[in-house]
Amino acid sequence: MRAAMNLLLIVLLALNLRPMLTSIGPLLEPVRQSTGLGYQQAALLTALPVLCMGLVPLLQPWLRRWLSEHGGMLGGLMAIAAACLWRWQLDSAWALIASAVVAGLGVAVVQGMMPGLVNRWFPTRLATTMGLYSAALMSGGGLAAVLGPSLTAYTGHWQVGLGVWALPALLALLAWVALRPRQEAPTLGGASGGHWFGNRRAWLLALYFGLINGGYTSMVAWLPAYYLEHGGTAQGGGELVGLMTIFQVAGALGLPLLLRRLNDRRPGLWLALTIQLAGFLGLLLAPSAAMGLWVAMIGLGLGACFSLSLTLTLEHLRTPAEAGSLAAFVQGVGFIVTGIVPYITGWLRDVSGDFQASWTLLACTVLLMLLVTACFAPRGYAKAIARSDQPGVAPALS
């Protein structure tokens, strides 16, 4: 019974970590017309929350001195709900950008704790549970992308399509209060160690996580606009994001389950990256021929990459506390990188006049990550992540 309630909590929490990002793209044109946002300003609606997702976990070694896990979760969910309620009635570009920062801070706190929770609650089913967490996270994003335009069309106000996501945040808040385990909760992040700024493998894992997932934030930000440029509609753009999400969920759940007997995550990552690369090449070479197919392939690869890369990080260390600390660092640096990517791809769209340069950059990034994946042999985890004898301090770069 306890395990079932923990799984329910993981799903409810994860469902709230992407709607504030994915609800924007399908409604970008009415938002831009109403507020006067340019493409680069609109990129801030994705980039700033993702940057918050990066900066907050990096502060966890200091935050955990005064903020408990329970307090952090309550504050994070309240921030998400408050930002969405604010969006329900705002009408200016800068208020919209400010709401993105508030929501991003809330997501950052909740998301930073999730790998540690999964590792602590399900240590013997790590890969499968991380797949479920990733699938729920992506499902929430897909629902927001698909339902946002429908709610906007029904009510006549794009603010409703952005603000309604306060409701699942409030539901998750109530569920956390009622169902969370009552044993003494660890401090924020659940880690006993210090920071990882001096550890080379931690930096490699962080940059890998950031670049391997950079395609997600770019697709969420620009796929609906790309579809509009090819004669589609806002509703159709949202449905494309929904299609991508369906295959993300399939990738996040299916590939880890299929390869659950393997201790080596590299075959799964190579397969997921290859599928993702094929999808970006399809967008480059024949976008109109089978756009749905290319988007589905990108989604399948992205979903599997997110789940497997986080699992890869957690498996570098044996104790949940240390693994949670490392995962917080990897997500911190990684999401900063991931947040920068859509800003760069939006800038490339502005200067080139179309999205081909953006897709080219993402394809090259995936190709580079295919090569980097070779570094992550399981037999080398302990040596690569070895820390100094001083507790809580990562070894210095040399």
Side-chain angles (χ1 to χ4, degrees), residues 34-35 86-87 89-96 158-159:
S34 176
T35 63
W86 188 10
R87 287 181 169 186
Q89 52 81 44
L90 58 78
D91 58 4
S92 75
W94 291 111
L96 187 59
W158 56 263
Q159 290 90 341

Side-chain angles (χ1 to χ4, degrees), residues 50 86 117 138 243 287 325 378 386:
V50 177
W86 188 10
L117 286 179
M138 295 161 191
L243 175 67
S325 173

Side-chain angles (χ1 to χ4, degrees), residues 4 15 120 124 164 200 232 243 280 284 319:
L15 285 171
R120 193 169 78 247
T124 62
V164 71
R200 288 179 176 176
L243 175 67
F280 282 120
L284 275 170
T319 68

Side-chain angles (χ1 to χ4, degrees), residues 23-84:
S23 58
I24 292 289
L27 301 177
L28 186 58
E29 286 311 305
V31 169
R32 289 182 66 239
Q33 291 170 12
S34 176
T35 63
L37 277 173
Y39 276 106
Q40 280 190 275
Q41 282 182 307
L44 294 175
L45 298 176
T46 300
L48 289 177
V50 177
L51 288 174
C52 290
M53 294 179 210
L55 292 172
V56 170
L58 291 179
L59 297 175
Q60 282 195 11
W62 297 273
L63 286 175
R64 66 170 177 262
R65 296 174 184 171
W66 58 272
L67 185 61
S68 69
E69 179 181 85
H70 178 55
M73 194 66 77
L74 290 178
L77 290 170
M78 286 178 182
I80 295 170
C84 292

Side-chain angles (χ1 to χ4, degrees), residues 238-263:
E239 289 171 356
L240 265 185
V241 176
L243 175 67
M244 183 179 78
T245 301
I246 290 171
F247 281 88
Q248 278 184 288
V249 171
L253 282 175
L255 203 54
L257 190 62
L258 182 66
L259 303 175
R260 66 188 181 279
R261 298 187 186 279
L262 289 180
N263 292 324

